[in-house]
Amino acid sequence: MPKLVKEYIQKYMMDLGIPEAEVADRCAALYLKYGTTLAGLVTSGYKICYDDWHSKVHAPLDYQTMLHPDVLVREILCSIDLPKYILTNADSSHARKCLDRIGIRDCFEAVFDFEWAQSTGKEQGALSEEFPVLCKPQPKIYELALKAINCKAEEVIFMDDSIRNVASAHNELGMLTVLVGRDGPVPGADVCIPTFHQLPNALPSLFTPKQQQQQQQQEQQQWSSSRSSSSSSSNIDSDSRDFVVHAQILGVVQAAAAAMPFQPVCTTH
């Protein structure tokens, strides 16, 4: 899916009049500098209708063949007895389709998506000429998400598959961060896990002993499945990683992952 989205983005850039020979490099440069290619294009002065952008970049995707239900991811999420939230740079339609297809949308209290970020950013005066599009890894988007769930930065665990997103959340706001898709250590990430399936082993204090044992057994079964199934799970993980888990954290959050001394407390909003 990421490769196809990139192709659609580059085609859109060519439709804006950017020479084909320059598109790939400019796409990468804008993404790295501004958080998303869309944010970079808008900041650079291009007039883009956001609905049109998303209709060309995400709407053509074949979600039915690219994504499949992931029972293990759902069971892990359901085993965390805390409010959970999605914070994504994607538009609401794309986020909803991905979550529905994977089978985890009802695991979350709310989804803070592209539309929410721009609307809230405008209301809160967070948009400017320098940042006309609000997105990760801009610290302001984390601040607004924390305000929306009525939490302090030290009271959440932020999980993402982007090094710069977790680094920003960790370094700028002091969040406890989990980087998914990498083996550690990585600067800015308190915990690193190859896939979301390893979360129970990496943060056992999020789970009861019984839940942890069940997840370990399921993980072993996952590893014994066919290579093709494992490949599908990897694709699914990439679209289900960026979410915030709300918890009250007591103790020093910089401790090693295996002995992280915090006690989650469930609250309502």
Side-chain angles (χ1 to χ4, degrees):
M1 181 178 286
K3 181 179 179 181
L4 193 56
V5 169
K6 183 178 180 180
E7 291 177 3
Y8 291 151
I9 288 174
Q10 293 184 357
K11 183 179 184 303
Y12 198 103
M13 292 174 68
M14 287 186 282
D15 291 341
L16 290 175
I18 299 175
E20 182 176 0
E22 301 176 12
V23 163
D25 288 342
R26 290 188 63 178
C27 181
L30 292 172
Y31 175 81
L32 291 174
K33 184 175 181 179
Y34 296 101
T36 68
T37 305
L38 173 60
L41 288 169
V42 175
T43 305
S44 300
Y46 289 92
K47 303 298 181 183
I48 297 176
C49 170
Y50 297 151
D51 288 341
D52 182 62
W53 170 274
H54 291 125
S55 71
K56 302 290 178 56
V57 169
H58 287 150
L61 296 171
D62 186 354
Y63 296 90
Q64 294 298 310
T65 59
M66 291 182 173
L67 295 175
H68 304 280
D70 191 319
V71 176
L72 182 53
V73 166
R74 178 178 178 81
E75 291 181 350
I76 291 173
L77 290 171
C78 291
S79 296
I80 302 173
D81 189 22
L82 298 165
K84 296 169 283 290
Y85 304 85
I86 294 282
L87 176 61
T88 178
N89 288 337
D91 61 286
S92 60
S93 177
H94 178 67
R96 183 180 65 254
K97 290 175 181 177
C98 287
L99 293 170
D100 283 343
R101 184 61 180 148
I102 298 167
I104 58 174
R105 181 151 67 113
D106 63 330
C107 295
F108 299 94
E109 301 288 324
V111 177
F112 300 114
D113 50 37
F114 177 87
E115 290 86 350
W116 169 85
Q118 308 326 305
S119 174
T120 305
K122 183 177 181 180
E123 292 173 0
Q124 299 295 321
L127 303 183
S128 62
E129 288 188 10
E130 183 180 6
F131 298 109
V133 176
L134 189 63
C135 62
K136 297 182 292 184
Q138 298 168 20
K140 192 64 180 180
I141 195 170
Y142 302 121
E143 294 174 4
L144 293 179
L146 290 170
K147 183 177 181 180
I149 65 176
N150 193 28
C151 285
K152 298 177 181 179
E154 61 268 23
E155 296 174 340
V156 305
I157 303 171
F158 178 70
M159 305 183 190
D160 202 288
D161 65 348
S162 165
I163 293 177
R164 61 181 181 166
N165 288 351
V166 299
S168 176
H170 177 91
N171 297 333
E172 301 297 329
L173 287 91
M175 290 187 192
L176 175 67
T177 55
V178 178
L179 178 63
V180 184
R182 295 289 186 97
D183 288 321
V186 174
D190 293 292
V191 179
C192 297
I193 51 178
T195 74
F196 184 70
H197 296 162
Q198 278 76 53
L199 183 63
N201 290 332
L203 288 177
S205 50
L206 281 177
F207 305 84
T208 66
K210 181 178 180 180
Q211 290 169 335
Q212 185 182 354
Q213 183 179 12
Q214 290 174 341
Q215 297 303 331
Q216 289 173 340
Q217 292 174 348
Q218 291 164 348
E219 183 181 337
Q220 290 174 354
Q221 294 174 357
Q222 183 77 15
W223 281 108
S224 64
S225 64
S226 66
R227 181 174 295 272
S228 61
S229 296
S230 297
S231 177
S232 296
S233 296
S234 176
N235 290 334
I236 292 166
D237 286 340
S238 68
D239 286 283
S240 62
R241 291 171 185 159
D242 52 342
F243 51 85
V244 179
V245 180
H246 168 203
Q248 179 69 38
I249 300 177
L250 305 177
V252 182
V253 298
Q254 304 298 335
M260 206 158 291
F262 66 85
Q263 297 178 352
V265 177
C266 181
T267 62
T268 58
H269 305 289

